[in-house]
Amino acid sequence: MVMREPELTPLSIQTVAADSYRQAKERMREAIARYAAEGRYRLPSEEELSTALGVSRATLRSVLQSLQKEGRIRRLHGSGTFINRHTIGIAANLAEASPFVDLLTQAGYRPAVRTLDQRLIALDDELATSLELPAGERALRIERVFDADGKPAVHSVDHVPATLLGEHPEDSDPRRSTFEFVETDTGTPVCYSVAEIRPVLPPTAIATALGLPRTRPVLRLRHTHIRADELPVAVTVVHVNDDYLRFSVIRTYLDQ
Amino acid sequence: MVMREPELTPLSIQTVAADSYRQAKERMREAIARYAAEGRYRLPSEEELSTALGVSRATLRSVLQSLQKEGRIRRLHGSGTFINRHTIGIAANLAEASPFVDLLTQAGYRPAVRTLDQRLIALDDELATSLELPAGERALRIERVFDADGKPAVHSVDHVPATLLGEHPEDSDPRRSTFEFVETDTGTPVCYSVAEIRPVLPPTAIATALGLPRTRPVLRLRHTHIRADELPVAVTVVHVNDDYLRFSVIRTYLDQ
């Protein structure tokens, strides 16, 4: 089964819950870029920021804490909140949980997503172990490619246990993101993800989907998504052509 | 110039400032492993923890904040601090700024470090750009290999501008870590690092140093270390054989 959705706009897979928080964070990001461009690296007070961005103090605080965790800003006890200047140019921060369409947009590309395949499978040992299920249990497997300006940049395969997806998991809308599947269908949000990072030569099928020779290393990210009740609810294996997305991480040492 | 220091113990390069903080964090890690083994995933109050670990409340708070940033714990507003259970087994967290000897120890190996070469070089364009210096400026280049149980696991090259290293940079003690060079010799601590992550086939010299065929992908991490005054003070390029160190990142979504 191959489905093509060339018309799919980025917005249609951005339906992870808290939209207002995400909008506030996006506005804060833009504000940081503006301040930095003006050479103002010390952020205004929380009061001024919440007024300037039109968000509540509580939302602002969550946004600042998130940006701090990602390494974009630092808070120095007693002297304020500062922009980490050398992080301004980073388009893809591995610590940020942005959907690939957003990452590709931030990297300057016109993104699109194609669902190559969607089917029910029986979990192999490795997937079953990660999902804390017996091997052989059924799961929905969704294979996608994310394009950058029409060229394949990221190959992604999600695995969601069928037991989490209602009576007819095979009929799930393939355009929904992994998070939508898991959160909408189970009613419990994903709380954290663990991503293992490996440099690999792509398996043949993935090399073909990405239009790469098999001798070209790609970054493999294997995510296990964990729900608030500590149940692993999905495994997503991603292969990234780093011509399009070059990930960074930021480590901060001194902030509060 | 090749120097071998087979007798070097891990401790001798663990001299990054705040030792008491690091000890407190290590004790907190051990406590988390113990609590998790007992099925106690909700952490005791800060008061109880600071008494149990014998550290001040202020130190404890810094440690908890750091573990939260790394994704090891989550703090849920109004309900407490919880261990992210599925992160217990992670030995090498890319968001943690641990020295390689510590990472190798955590991964179950006996670590050692060898300095292969130390010399003054002229910065090429790429390094000069990262260090915000004119190309051709002098820098101390230190090439090291980190062994795991006597086998090469990580190849590392540091570049520190000579202007930061006093009158005779070439006489710097090669056993010191990059951070020691930068912090001791400039008097200003490193504030954050940006690490770009790429999957690559190792260049010949690095493949040889790591004992790998050139067709075997390795993880390349290119760090720029930034001082509190936003001056980039060192570039460290690392190639990792992921048979020994398999990095993960943890993304958290819901915590405060």
Side-chain angles (χ1 to χ4, degrees), chain B residues 25-37:
Chain B
K25 189 165 167 185
E26 193 46 43
R27 279 207 293 279
M28 188 66 227
R29 261 187 216 293
E30 289 163 9
I32 285 176
R34 251 189 342 265
Y35 290 135

Side-chain angles (χ1 to χ4, degrees), chain B residues 35 40 42-54 57 60:
Chain B
Y35 290 135
R40 294 168 58 194
R42 186 175 182 282
L43 292 182
S45 69
E46 288 190 4
E47 196 178 339
E48 286 173 70
L49 278 175
S50 67
T51 306
L53 300 178
R57 288 286 283 273
L60 178 74

Side-chain angles (χ1 to χ4, degrees), chain A residues 62 65 68-69 71 74 76 82-87 90 93-98 130 132 179 189-201 215-219 221 223-232 240 242-243 246-256, chain B residues 62 65 68-69 71 74 76 82-87 90 93-98 130 132 179 189-201 215-219 221 223-232 240 242-243 246-256:
Chain A
S62 296
Q65 188 145 26
Q68 183 188 13
K69 276 169 69 177
R74 66 182 185 276
L76 298 180
F82 296 85
I83 298 170
N84 285 338
R85 300 183 206 181
H86 293 269
T87 72
I90 296 175
N93 183 350
L94 201 52
E96 292 171 23
S98 304
S130 296
E132 298 179 357
F179 277 53
V190 170
C191 181
Y192 63 98
S193 304
V194 177
E196 188 190 71
I197 303 153
R198 294 189 60 194
V200 300
L201 298 179
T215 51
R216 166 69 154 68
V218 294
L219 203 62
L221 304 170
H223 303 77
T224 309
H225 302 294
I226 313 291
R227 220 165 57 170
D229 57 3
E230 292 283 353
L231 186 74
V240 180
D242 79 332
D243 284 346
R246 195 154 293 178
F247 283 99
S248 291
V249 283
I250 304 158
R251 296 188 188 125
T252 53
Y253 304 111
L254 293 175
D255 66 344
Q256 303 298 312
Chain B
S62 297
Q65 189 145 27
Q68 183 187 12
K69 278 171 68 177
R74 65 183 186 275
L76 299 179
F82 296 85
I83 299 170
N84 286 337
R85 301 184 206 180
H86 293 269
T87 71
I90 296 175
N93 183 350
L94 202 50
E96 291 171 22
S98 304
S130 295
E132 297 179 358
F179 276 51
V190 170
C191 182
Y192 63 98
S193 304
V194 177
E196 188 190 71
I197 303 153
R198 294 189 60 194
V200 300
L201 297 179
T215 51
R216 166 68 154 69
V218 295
L219 202 63
L221 304 170
H223 303 77
T224 310
H225 302 293
I226 313 292
R227 220 165 58 171
D229 55 3
E230 291 284 352
L231 186 75
V240 180
D242 79 332
D243 283 345
R246 194 153 293 180
F247 283 100
S248 292
V249 284
I250 304 158
R251 296 187 188 125
T252 53
Y253 304 110
L254 294 175
D255 66 345
Q256 303 296 315

Side-chain angles (χ1 to χ4, degrees), chain A residues 129-192:
Chain A
T129 301
S130 296
L131 292 165
E132 298 179 357
L133 288 170
E137 284 277 302
R138 288 190 322 159
L140 185 63
R141 177 189 185 278
I142 307 155
E143 182 180 359
R144 292 193 178 92
V145 166
F146 295 85
D147 289 331
D149 290 350
K151 284 172 204 144
V154 178
H155 180 273
S156 157
V157 181
D158 297 315
H159 311 81
V160 185
T163 48
L164 297 176
L165 293 173
E167 272 186 49
H168 297 286
E170 65 279 18
D171 297 337
S172 299
D173 181 347
R175 285 168 306 182
R176 296 193 303 166
S177 74
T178 318
F179 277 53
E180 283 179 86
F181 274 109
V182 169
E183 301 195 335
T184 312
D185 295 4
T186 75
T188 309
V190 170
C191 181
Y192 63 98

